[in-house]
Amino acid sequence: MGGGEYAADCQARVAFEVLSHRWDSVIVYILGEGGPMRPRALITRIGGISPKVLTEALRRLEYNGLVARQAYAEAPPRVDYCLTEAGLALLAPIRAMGAWAGRYTEAVLAAQARFAPPENGPHKS
């Protein structure tokens, strides 16, 4: 019965692990739509992400070969980030996940709500 490409030691797990962090797929998507960007432009475009978290995510994406960092010998220093070939190849699956989210987010949230404790439910003595 084996899991094939989704077995415990499969290569498909790499794809899920690479984008398992909250902001990674958002950054890949934004760089794919907007081209090379400076960190400040990414923060503005994404919204809700701190500089520290963005830096961690960019380093992780660079480590995984999805993002390339280009430093320029200028004063003040300038750094741009862009997608690599592997990062560009993830845009179609990320768009597909976005379409899935658009269709099923309400159902997922409703399912989660069924397991949430009532906020003002009866108190047990």
Side-chain angles (χ1 to χ4, degrees), residues 31-72:
L31 287 173
E33 295 295 307
M37 288 190 188
R38 291 178 170 182
R40 177 58 50 199
L42 280 165
I43 288 171
T44 301
R45 187 83 188 278
I46 294 169
I49 188 171
S50 72
K52 178 183 183 245
V53 171
L54 176 66
T55 298
E56 291 169 354
L58 287 168
R59 286 180 181 158
R60 190 171 43 250
L61 289 166
E62 186 178 14
Y63 171 81
N64 286 317
L66 303 178
V67 167
R69 181 181 188 271
Q70 175 65 52
Y72 298 90

Side-chain angles (χ1 to χ4, degrees), residues 63-107:
Y63 171 81
N64 286 317
L66 303 178
V67 167
R69 181 181 188 271
Q70 175 65 52
Y72 298 90
E74 298 176 356
R78 180 175 70 131
V79 175
D80 287 338
Y81 290 90
C82 65
L83 294 180
T84 63
E85 181 181 341
L88 287 167
L90 276 175
L91 290 174
I94 288 172
R95 287 184 186 115
M97 289 296 292
W100 177 90
R103 183 169 180 186
Y104 293 105
T105 294
E106 288 183 28

